[in-house]
Amino acid sequence: MAELAVAVPDVPPRIGRHEVLGFLASGGMSELFLGREPSGRVVVIKRILPHLSRQSAFVSMFIDEARIGSLIRHDNVVEVYELGQVGSDLFMVMELLEGENASSLVRRLVGRGERLGYGLAAHLVAEACAGLAAAHELCDERGQPLELVHRDVSPQNVFVTYDGAVKVLDFGIAAGAHRLTQTATGQLKGKFAYMSPEQCRGEALDRRSDLFSLGVVLYELTAQRRLFARANELLVLRAVCEDPIPRPSRDRPDYPPILEDICLRALSRDRDRRYPSAAAMRDDLIAATQLLLGAASPREALAAEMQRLFAERIAAKAQMLGHARAGTDPGVLPSLDADEGVVVPEVSPVTPAGASRPAPAAVPATASPDDPVGPAPSRPRRVGPLVAVVALAAAAAAFAMTWRGADDAPASRPLDRAADATSPPGPVAPPGAPPAAAAVATAVIPPAPPARPATAAIAIRLETTPPGAEVTVDDVVVGETPFELELARGGAPARVELRRRGYQTVRRTVLADRDQALTFELRRRAGGAGRKPGGAPDRDPDRGFHRFE
């Protein structure tokens, strides 16, 4: 199938110390570029949009996203390398992955009339569970739980590399404690068709909301049907909250019972009936993977499938990256997603009993909207935990070869942890909540608790291009760039000035909240010599600075 090319507009030649190779995408708050570090490593640079860079609310959102990304260190979450600043430009440098998101994978399969093996789908979602578990258990630099909820788990944010790794993407609208920004009461953040019922109603969220969303991903990967797609957003919200959820086996008679149990438990509208944690859901998915795949290596099998399905995109990206690493023009960048013209069919509506066409999935007259609809299981089915360890290891949050750029405002939500990790699935009672529209208008979101003070020192590395700028901190000259600035963690923001003869002075305020590296590109003064160290202050036309507060 022919691919659409991404038009490459004018781009800055450099952002900080990174050479910019081309434009990738633009979202609501930021734009993305393909870049190369001096070492030759190719990266993605995410920069806040220029017209938002002087608005403190958007700057705080951007810093929140970078902070969360830099704290998560796990093989199933993409990595953030650094947060930097050049003049008024605030940017993140992130990992570039070679692969496709799960949405592209489903479209490719549908377009070719193929299906993903059930065992591979179980493995793929189990790996996504591992990434979410790392985020849900994350603590800040002082050891305080961040109580993160991703809020945007969807096929677009589950990424599969061509060598079979699975990564969770984009914590841009994650809710959690101790954020600089908060979402207004009742605001909806995320993709409606993948929200949990409580998220649609604007209620307080915990980690189990992400598990409902991951249940939708599992359903759509295996049934290759859009579960909650409807004609408009209001109908989508109603479908998530009220419409009967068909059993996957209604449309796929060969659907494995062990996998159907997992999927329907994750999709329980009563969150107490869902898995209490991503780790518990992952245990059952691993058991299903081993039953369905046997002794085969799931990662190797997934890699083989990806390489078979996307051979032409692998070749195009390899050629582009070869030029990028060699320092030559990478040419036209591949499209953001594969097979964007392919439409994934929606789940067919439940046929009432007595209709003219066969209705094996008819809803009984006494059924709850949350009862699964479809053929009854032929035997008792229960999945027991098989694996009890979820590795919390190295990597951080980033972007990927899909080059998505959507951003939104995060919120702070309290975490309601469930204690029983082994409670079996069962019939689910009606949610008993008000309709989505009314609930959104009346929902109350409690504020995040204040961060606890800490006294440990943090290090902020200051670099300039060119180097050798005089560094002044709170009106005291302390050295020249590159310079390592030490501050008391949680102390007052530091006022930093960087001066070099012949260049405009840079003035910034930085928070003493974490270790970080800041890079500034100094701009030459037009017809001026700047200020000598110790001399009179220069009069720059852009003396303002951002306060990251």
Side-chain angles (χ1 to χ4, degrees):
M1 179 173 291
E3 298 289 352
L4 299 175
V6 177
V8 182
D10 293 335
V11 296
R14 302 188 68 84
I15 296 179
R17 61 191 181 90
H18 303 86
E19 180 184 359
V20 177
L21 302 175
F23 174 83
L24 298 176
S26 180
M29 194 178 93
S30 63
E31 54 192 351
L32 299 163
F33 300 95
L34 186 68
R36 183 175 55 240
E37 296 182 331
S39 65
R41 180 171 64 176
V42 180
V43 295
V44 169
I45 304 170
K46 185 173 187 177
R47 183 176 71 172
I48 193 168
L49 290 170
H51 68 281
L52 302 178
S53 63
R54 295 186 182 276
Q55 299 185 34
S56 60
F58 289 99
V59 170
S60 295
M61 283 184 232
F62 196 85
I63 292 174
D64 276 333
E65 180 183 355
R67 178 169 174 258
I68 292 171
S70 65
L71 287 173
I72 302 175
R73 300 185 180 279
H74 195 274
D75 289 337
N76 295 111
V77 179
V78 290
E79 186 174 0
V80 168
Y81 296 137
E82 68 178 89
L83 172 66
Q85 192 164 14
V86 178
S88 62
D89 292 334
L90 190 64
F91 65 93
M92 283 181 278
V93 180
M94 300 178 286
E95 178 183 14
L96 178 70
L97 299 174
E98 298 180 57
E100 309 288 343
N101 62 37
S103 180
S104 291
L105 175 58
V106 171
R107 286 196 303 270
R108 176 59 55 101
L109 289 164
V110 169
R112 296 176 61 160
E114 299 180 16
R115 289 165 54 188
L116 186 66
Y118 292 119
L120 292 183
H123 166 71
L124 193 162
V125 178
E127 293 296 280
C129 281
L132 283 176
H136 292 162
E137 299 295 338
L138 187 66
C139 294
D140 66 12
E141 301 91 331
R142 295 177 288 275
Q144 301 301 310
L146 286 177
E147 302 174 354
L148 285 181
V149 181
H150 189 289
R151 295 203 300 171
D152 198 16
V153 175
S154 64
Q156 292 83 356
N157 285 333
V158 176
F159 190 86
V160 187
T161 66
Y162 295 135
D163 63 357
V166 178
K167 308 271 187 175
V168 177
L169 308 179
D170 200 349
F171 286 80
I173 65 168
H178 316 318
R179 293 180 60 100
L180 298 178
T181 52
Q182 309 217 359
T183 300
T185 300
Q187 279 190 344
L188 294 181
K189 302 295 182 183
K191 301 176 184 68
F192 288 2
Y194 300 95
M195 288 182 177
S196 66
E198 60 269 26
Q199 189 175 1
C200 290
R201 295 190 293 262
E203 298 173 354
L205 304 181
D206 62 31
R207 62 182 67 183
R208 293 171 294 177
S209 176
D210 286 342
L211 302 186
F212 184 94
S213 303
L214 200 55
V216 182
V217 174
L218 176 60
Y219 191 108
E220 295 186 356
L221 269 174
T222 49
Q224 292 183 187
R225 299 283 192 277
R226 296 289 311 280
L227 181 56
F228 295 123
R230 300 294 189 271
N232 58 57
E233 292 179 346
L234 182 60
L235 291 177
V236 171
L237 293 174
R238 180 176 178 177
V240 172
C241 294
E242 300 177 5
D243 285 2
I245 298 174
R247 292 181 177 275
S249 58
R250 186 196 68 167
D251 297 314
R252 302 289 186 194
D254 65 339
Y255 204 97
I258 189 173
L259 194 58
E260 186 168 79
D261 278 342
I262 296 170
C263 186
L264 293 177
R265 183 176 180 184
L267 288 172
S268 294
R269 287 193 171 97
D270 180 351
R271 58 179 128 186
D272 290 334
R273 299 279 187 172
R274 292 178 211 152
Y275 288 96
S277 67
M281 184 173 173
R282 181 173 187 263
D283 288 344
D284 282 1
L285 284 165
I286 289 175
T289 301
Q290 294 185 347
L291 177 66
L292 297 168
L293 280 184
S297 165
R299 175 161 179 169
E300 291 179 4
L302 184 57
E305 188 72 348
M306 292 294 292
Q307 290 164 18
R308 180 185 70 83
L309 289 169
F310 296 101
E312 85 292 350
R313 285 175 64 82
I314 292 173
K317 292 177 183 180
Q319 182 179 22
M320 182 272 293
L321 287 175
H323 284 289
R325 294 183 178 115
T328 56
D329 182 4
V332 177
L333 304 181
S335 60
L336 302 181
D337 295 294
D339 302 348
E340 292 179 284
V342 174
V343 176
V344 179
E346 300 175 11
V347 168
S348 57
V350 173
T351 305
S356 58
R357 66 185 176 90
V363 185
T366 58
S368 155
D370 196 31
D371 290 334
V373 179
S378 58
R379 57 182 176 81
R381 293 174 288 174
R382 184 156 309 179
V383 183
L386 182 65
V387 178
V389 178
V390 175
L392 300 177
F399 198 73
M401 183 69 82
T402 49
W403 304 319
R404 294 184 61 252
D407 305 273
D408 214 333
S412 177
R413 309 281 194 177
L415 177 64
D416 178 16
R417 302 179 190 274
D420 183 8
T422 59
S423 59
V428 180
V440 167
T442 59
V444 177
I445 302 174
R452 298 183 182 179
T455 57
I458 57 105
I460 298 176
R461 182 172 177 80
L462 302 172
E463 297 183 0
T464 58
T465 305
E470 177 188 86
V471 180
T472 300
V473 179
D474 295 335
D475 301 322
V476 177
V477 177
V478 295
E480 292 187 350
T481 57
F483 183 79
E484 194 89 4
L485 173 64
E486 289 192 1
L487 299 173
R489 186 186 299 276
R495 301 189 311 275
V496 176
E497 295 187 0
L498 304 169
R499 298 186 179 91
R500 194 178 193 278
R501 178 187 289 272
Y503 294 84
Q504 296 177 4
T505 297
V506 173
R507 295 179 177 86
R508 296 290 180 266
T509 296
V510 296
L511 285 180
D513 62 346
R514 66 194 183 285
D515 295 339
Q516 58 183 301
L518 300 176
T519 302
F520 301 89
E521 185 172 5
L522 302 182
R523 300 176 182 176
R524 286 194 174 275
R525 292 177 56 83
R531 169 185 119 156
K532 295 181 180 179
D538 55 5
R539 300 295 180 188
D540 294 339
D542 53 351
R543 295 186 56 162
F545 56 83
H546 297 300
R547 297 182 182 275
F548 300 155
E549 300 171 356

